[in-house]
Amino acid sequence: MKLKFWGTRALISSPSKDTKVYGGNTGCLQIIYDDALILVGSGYGATNLGEELMDRIIREKKAFNIHIFISNFHWDHIQGLPFFQPIYFKSSHLHIYSPMAKSDLYEGLNVLFNESYSPFEALNKMPANVSLYQMQEELAVGGLKVRYVPLDRSETPSFGYRFDSPNGESVVVASANAGEENKALIQLSSEADLLVLGGLFTEAEYKANKAWGFASLERSLKLAMQAKAHKVLLSHHHPLRRDSDIVAIKEKLVASKDFGHLEFDFAQEQTIYEVL
Amino acid sequence: MRVKLHGVRGSRPTHKNSLLGYGGNSTSIQFLLPGKDFELYLDGGSGLAHHGLRLGSQTKNRKFYFLVTHTHWDHMIGYPFFAPLYNPNNEFVFYTSSPLEKDSFEKLFYGQLAKGHLPFPRDLVKAKIEIKLIKPGEKLVIDTDVHVSTYQLNHQGITLGFRVEYQGESAAVITDNAPIENGNHLGEHWKELAKDNSAQFEKDFNDGLVRFLHRCNTVIFDTHFTEENLKADWGHSTPHRATKFCSDAQVGRLILFHHAPEDTDQAVADKVTSVINIGKSAGLEVVAAREGDEWPAK
């Protein structure tokens, strides 16, 4: 299993020469395993993947099955969907998963296709075949076992997902994790090879923005230590953070020695991360 | 007067190393008006979000006017992050004609702040907000001597072009405007309006746009497509169409704008090259919109 971030940014895209390393698109992460195309989130980052698939869709007439897990309906987690080019082709089949009721999932995404906000009419009028699934306890997708937990955000239902491969590799993606301790997420992340958590705020920013509900970098790393995760990638970067700011924050966290031997880094767009 | 380009990209903001020279943020333009103590903007794409996050919520006791061309995402997504909206001591006026009969601008603006779609508390927006509904073609005066005229463009729903005149200088913005030909009538109810005399409808639209832009100093014009990849029913124009309108209207400077998200820096530069000589022969300067740039309206 490998991971590739197509979008790492929270709230709003940050295209800039100052964000070249860590990335400027809103959230989208690809789980690479065999031939399966699995995404967590469909922020604007997804559109760059869509552009790359075009050649195979048009010239090779390749029909793609694309699996998308939705963690919540915050714009930055979904807003790329109407601009994800495979959705313009009848040959594509999008499978969209969440533990929410299918009608809620449809409604939460369909607003993106509202004809006043977009040149489209509705999600179910797009050329691609779009199937929605309400996740039960466990699911098998593209050879991976998928489980979820709620992320305990009070303002809106949000979910973290765990992907296990048959050869024992595991990835947990929960970049919208909340600041308060979440026992279910710690349990889901137990001994995960790679754990993706949120890094929107520093602890000082977290205290000043508690109503936003996102964990600080420090709280995310402490959660990873409790879960005994093997490696952490912090994503969901603040839109105003330049590459140099992220490097400075990282150096401070490393120097603090609060996180023992925990291996962690800040997620970079386009970099492919080996799970093991 | 000067125009400042906070966002120049069409359809969606995008970040890829190959296009950061011209910039990846979506539509946001500011009119800088010497001697005025208020601010004037056009649209609220992601470029506005970054400008607003930099201004911060401490910005106060200011009045902001916004000219709203239309409500597609790339022109709207920045508003919730324009931090001066969070200060109760700021005042906002939005001029919009969007879409009168369906979703109002008010509904769409607050719809972006709806529970579940943004992580921050909805009551964060504390500024005084006034939404003024205008009709296509209507003329406005802001603060006695800033004159604004409007023209409905060939795009889905009701999309307005704006022209701003101040101190004898003029700047116009034509975001999102498809070639009107062969019945490609995208405006709300236009198909119905044009059904008995399509050719005349198209001629009237084109003549009207040339009159609207007549002798304008600086025009920012949608050039999303090229003649080769034009999809007219998507609602966007090309460098050749923009150059033709601006030459016919005796415009001084054309700024190519609303770059397709797929356009690399090279592709944008090639668009300028493709029309620069056609412009020159008509006395028209042609440049490409680059995020962060400021241009005089003279």
Side-chain angles (χ1 to χ4, degrees):
Chain A
M1 226 185 332
K2 292 176 192 165
L3 283 196
K4 182 172 182 179
F5 289 84
W6 291 92
T8 55
R9 219 32 87 162
L11 308 179
I12 186 117
S13 295
S14 279
S16 161
K17 288 177 180 168
D18 295 327
T19 58
K20 270 190 171 180
V21 176
Y22 291 97
N25 296 293
T26 50
C28 174
L29 180 162
Q30 184 184 3
I31 310 263
I32 302 170
Y33 182 74
D34 277 352
D35 288 338
L37 242 173
I38 303 173
L39 302 179
V40 182
S42 61
Y44 282 127
T47 62
N48 283 345
L49 167 64
E51 278 181 33
E52 286 197 9
L53 298 176
M54 288 304 288
D55 214 42
R56 294 169 66 192
I57 292 175
I58 294 171
R59 287 212 188 94
E60 296 174 24
K61 306 255 183 276
K62 169 107 177 122
F64 280 102
N65 276 288
I66 301 165
H67 305 273
I68 305 176
F69 289 84
I70 300 293
S71 58
N72 62 40
F73 296 129
H74 289 162
W75 300 122
D76 55 335
H77 291 245
I78 58 173
Q79 64 199 161
L81 196 59
F83 305 96
F84 182 54
Q85 294 192 32
I87 204 169
Y88 307 147
F89 293 85
K90 280 190 175 139
S91 59
S92 308
H93 193 162
L94 272 56
H95 308 263
I96 304 181
Y97 308 89
S98 140
M100 280 174 275
K102 271 200 267 185
S103 55
D104 291 342
L105 181 57
Y106 184 80
E107 203 183 312
L109 297 175
N110 189 44
V111 61
L112 295 168
F113 299 83
N114 169 303
E115 66 175 327
S116 294
Y117 283 130
S118 79
F120 310 113
E121 282 177 76
L123 174 57
N124 61 15
K125 298 263 177 76
M126 299 305 285
N129 187 0
V130 178
S131 304
L132 305 182
Y133 304 87
Q134 180 174 13
M135 256 185 93
Q136 305 299 333
E137 301 270 296
E138 200 177 299
L139 193 74
V141 170
L144 300 174
K145 185 174 85 174
V146 191
R147 288 177 285 161
Y148 72 91
V149 291
L151 292 180
D152 284 356
R153 297 185 56 80
S154 54
E155 42 87 47
T156 192
S158 300
F159 304 93
Y161 296 98
R162 177 172 176 133
F163 301 85
D164 285 281
S165 74
N167 56 350
E169 298 167 297
S170 53
V171 171
V172 174
V173 183
S175 61
N177 57 309
E180 304 307 316
E181 187 175 89
N182 180 342
K183 289 209 170 68
L185 179 58
I186 294 171
Q187 206 176 2
L188 185 81
S189 311
S190 176
E191 301 274 352
D193 293 313
L194 191 50
L195 172 55
V196 179
L197 291 173
L200 181 63
F201 293 132
T202 62
E203 183 65 17
E205 290 165 342
Y206 167 79
K207 284 183 174 141
N209 294 285
K210 269 204 159 164
W212 293 51
F214 291 111
S216 63
L217 294 155
E218 289 87 345
R219 282 162 195 258
S220 288
L221 293 176
K222 284 190 179 141
L223 183 150
M225 288 173 75
Q226 283 177 275
K228 299 190 171 64
H230 301 161
K231 188 180 172 184
V232 181
L233 284 170
L234 299 159
S235 187
H236 214 236
H237 311 315
H238 192 283
L240 287 185
R241 291 241 216 277
R242 296 163 299 182
D243 290 333
S244 56
D245 298 324
I246 293 180
V247 169
I249 291 169
K250 181 176 151 185
E251 283 170 359
K252 228 170 153 179
L253 290 171
V254 170
S256 79
K257 300 206 166 66
D258 286 349
F259 311 105
H261 298 292
L262 181 69
E263 194 184 333
F264 65 90
D265 205 345
F266 286 71
Q268 301 181 354
E269 262 174 40
Q270 296 297 325
T271 300
I272 293 176
Y273 294 92
E274 300 280 347
V275 169
L276 282 185
Chain B
M1 174 169 57
R2 298 172 73 79
V3 285
K4 170 124 182 152
L5 309 171
H6 294 296
V8 301
R9 198 58 62 172
S11 300
R12 54 182 161 92
T14 183
H15 172 94
K16 268 193 298 191
N17 289 348
S18 57
L19 52 71
L20 297 174
Y22 286 99
N25 278 304
S26 69
T27 300
S28 167
I29 293 168
Q30 184 177 8
F31 298 88
L32 302 167
L33 307 166
K36 291 295 181 194
D37 58 1
F38 60 84
E39 301 195 17
L40 178 62
Y41 294 88
L42 180 140
D43 283 350
S46 69
L48 184 76
H50 284 272
H51 179 56
L53 288 168
R54 284 190 293 267
L55 284 176
S57 57
Q58 298 308 308
T59 300
K60 61 182 179 186
N61 303 322
R62 278 203 230 172
K63 189 159 186 179
F64 297 87
Y65 289 93
F66 277 86
L67 308 175
V68 178
T69 68
H70 67 309
T71 55
H72 281 173
W73 287 120
D74 52 328
H75 299 257
M76 291 288 280
I77 47 170
Y79 286 128
F81 303 97
F82 192 67
L85 280 165
Y86 311 158
N87 194 302
N89 298 312
N90 289 326
E91 240 181 284
F92 284 77
V93 178
F94 293 91
Y95 290 103
T96 172
S97 60
S98 217
L100 300 170
E101 295 163 30
K102 292 184 211 142
D103 297 340
S104 66
F105 177 77
E106 189 170 6
K107 188 174 153 202
L108 296 163
F109 178 85
Y110 288 104
Q112 286 204 107
L113 303 169
K115 187 169 156 51
H117 284 300
L118 279 175
F120 53 72
R122 191 181 161 162
D123 63 2
L124 199 64
V125 173
K126 292 187 170 70
K128 182 172 174 267
I129 295 176
E130 191 181 354
I131 294 169
K132 290 193 176 174
L133 205 55
I134 54 172
K135 289 194 179 71
E138 196 170 327
K139 289 182 164 58
L140 321 164
V141 182
I142 300 173
D143 193 42
T144 71
D145 56 352
V146 180
H147 292 263
V148 180
S149 44
T150 62
Y151 191 75
Q152 186 177 353
L153 304 177
N154 191 27
H155 195 67
Q156 294 91 356
I158 299 174
T159 300
L160 295 183
F162 287 95
R163 174 174 176 151
V164 177
E165 315 259 351
Y166 179 57
Q167 295 178 333
E169 298 174 347
S170 51
V173 183
I174 308 299
T175 69
D176 304 63
N177 181 57
I180 192 160
E181 57 201 16
N182 310 319
N184 186 41
H185 306 152
L186 302 178
E188 194 149 83
H189 302 314
W190 279 11
K191 283 205 190 317
E192 206 177 304
L193 280 171
K195 72 176 190 302
D196 294 330
N197 200 341
S198 188
Q200 188 61 42
F201 187 84
E202 291 170 8
K203 185 177 184 306
D204 289 348
F205 172 85
N206 287 329
D207 292 350
L209 184 52
V210 171
R211 275 198 305 277
F212 181 72
L213 296 177
H214 186 63
R215 299 186 77 82
C216 189
N217 298 118
T218 292
V219 173
I220 298 170
F221 204 113
D222 166 15
T223 55
H224 189 104
F225 290 121
T226 63
E227 291 300 313
E228 290 71 40
N229 68 13
L230 173 66
K231 296 187 185 79
D233 59 338
W234 283 36
H236 298 291
S237 192
T238 71
H240 286 81
R241 311 299 170 116
T243 303
K244 176 80 166 73
F245 276 117
C246 289
S247 306
D248 290 352
Q250 299 167 55
V251 165
R253 177 185 299 110
L254 162 62
I255 302 178
L256 309 183
F257 172 80
H258 205 278
H259 311 314
E262 298 83 7
D263 280 358
T264 60
D265 290 331
Q266 187 59 51
V268 174
D270 289 348
K271 282 180 172 172
V272 177
T273 308
S274 74
V275 292
I276 197 160
N277 287 327
I278 305 171
K280 210 175 266 172
S281 65
L284 174 71
E285 178 189 357
V286 181
V287 297
R290 184 170 57 190
E291 193 175 313
D293 277 0
E294 267 181 47
W295 287 96
K298 65 177 179 191

